[in-house]
Amino acid sequence: MKVTRIDQVAVVVHDLEAAVEHYARMYGIAPAYREVLDEAGIEEAMFDLNGVWLQLIAPTTPESVVADFLATSGPGLHHLGFGVESMDGALAHVRANGGVLREPAPRQGGGGHLVAFVEPDPVTGVLVELVQDEGRAG
Amino acid sequence: MKVTRIDQVAVVVHDLEAAVEHYARMYGIAPAYREVLDEAGIEEAMFDLNGVWLQLIAPTTPESVVADFLATSGPGLHHLGFGVESMDGALAHVRANGGVLREPAPRQGGGGHLVAFVEPDPVTGVLVELVQDEGRAG
């Protein structure tokens, strides 16, 4: 298993519109697309920065998967996405090396690609989203 | 001013060796280079992931610039680096739009490139490092 690229950097915010306006005004960038993920209770704005996604995430309900993060930490950097060639191989490798997966199996994430989250480890503290290369837009 | 690429994603850790070993074992990646920045009281390990840097930062002294972050938040995602064509133009634009710069002028960062930090804004909560394109390794 070898990660060869950063797929995305995700930022959680309270207000998606305000954050999109902030990036437009301050940094001159606009989202390539937006989407709503009802099951997770979030909406996303995806910026394509030279093939790497900057992902803004905001809650759409109080039960959103990002509600706890916002309540505890406020807006900020949330997770890092790594591209992997084979999700099955990556998950087996992560499990064999003591990594803790958030869910028992990979699922369809934003953009329709297969994803799986690895819980923050004590050394780096980073929540990692593995993203299968095949079928990935951008 | 238009940001066109993510230059780097930075993770602050207590123990650089342990973090490098973690990424090697779990994700099969190794740093392209390491360096010590004495003035900031940090050491860094830089992973080149398809042209984007994953940067691990650890303190080398209790007065390190990352000591407060570690004491408050523990290890984790620390800042996001945006590439800019012109540092002078970018700083003028950021200032004109209410951005708060950490230092009065840009300086030489890791790898010898010109950098400047923009303090976290209330909407996104993200510390941003602007990195001038010219002279940037990788």
Side-chain angles (χ1 to χ4, degrees):
Chain A
M1 212 277 267
K2 186 177 187 303
V3 163
T4 52
R5 65 185 178 88
I6 293 177
D7 179 84
Q8 63 185 258
V9 183
V11 175
V12 166
V13 299
H14 289 287
D15 182 337
L16 196 65
E17 277 309 312
V20 167
E21 285 168 18
H22 174 81
Y23 280 116
R25 189 180 65 249
M26 194 68 90
Y27 298 117
I29 56 177
Y33 69 93
R34 300 190 191 198
E35 64 186 337
V36 175
L37 299 178
D38 283 325
E39 200 174 327
I42 58 176
E43 55 180 342
E44 301 179 343
M46 304 290 287
F47 299 74
D48 182 354
L49 295 181
N50 201 26
V52 178
W53 295 104
L54 173 62
Q55 177 182 42
L56 294 180
I57 305 171
T60 53
T61 76
E63 292 75 35
S64 169
V65 293
V66 299
D68 284 354
F69 177 86
L70 277 170
T72 305
S73 308
L77 290 164
H78 181 260
H79 69 263
L80 179 59
F82 284 149
V84 296
E85 286 187 9
S86 157
M87 182 60 78
D88 287 346
L91 294 184
H93 180 85
V94 165
R95 280 197 188 96
N97 283 277
V100 178
L101 300 173
R102 179 158 287 189
E103 295 161 305
R107 60 177 171 77
Q108 297 296 114
H113 50 284
L114 201 61
V115 304
F117 281 91
V118 184
E119 294 288 0
D121 63 279
V123 174
T124 72
V126 176
L127 175 63
V128 169
E129 181 176 7
L130 300 176
V131 182
Q132 185 158 289
D133 287 348
E134 191 183 350
R136 179 61 167 158
Chain B
M1 212 275 266
K2 185 176 186 305
V3 164
T4 52
R5 64 185 179 88
I6 292 177
D7 180 84
Q8 63 186 259
V9 183
V11 175
V12 167
V13 299
H14 289 287
D15 183 336
L16 195 65
E17 278 307 311
V20 167
E21 284 168 21
H22 173 82
Y23 279 116
R25 189 179 67 250
M26 194 70 88
Y27 298 117
I29 56 177
Y33 70 92
R34 299 191 194 197
E35 64 186 336
V36 175
L37 300 178
D38 282 327
E39 198 173 327
I42 59 175
E43 55 180 342
E44 301 179 342
M46 304 289 287
F47 299 74
D48 182 355
L49 295 182
N50 201 26
V52 178
W53 295 104
L54 173 63
Q55 178 182 42
L56 294 180
I57 306 172
T60 54
T61 76
E63 292 76 37
S64 168
V65 293
V66 297
D68 283 354
F69 177 85
L70 277 170
T72 304
S73 307
L77 290 165
H78 181 261
H79 70 262
L80 180 59
F82 283 149
V84 296
E85 286 187 8
S86 157
M87 182 60 78
D88 287 347
L91 294 184
H93 181 85
V94 165
R95 281 198 187 95
N97 283 278
V100 178
L101 301 173
R102 179 158 285 189
E103 296 161 306
R107 59 179 173 76
Q108 297 295 115
H113 50 283
L114 201 61
V115 303
F117 280 91
V118 183
E119 295 288 359
D121 64 279
V123 175
T124 73
V126 176
L127 175 64
V128 169
E129 181 176 8
L130 301 175
V131 182
Q132 185 159 289
D133 287 347
E134 192 183 350
R136 178 62 170 156

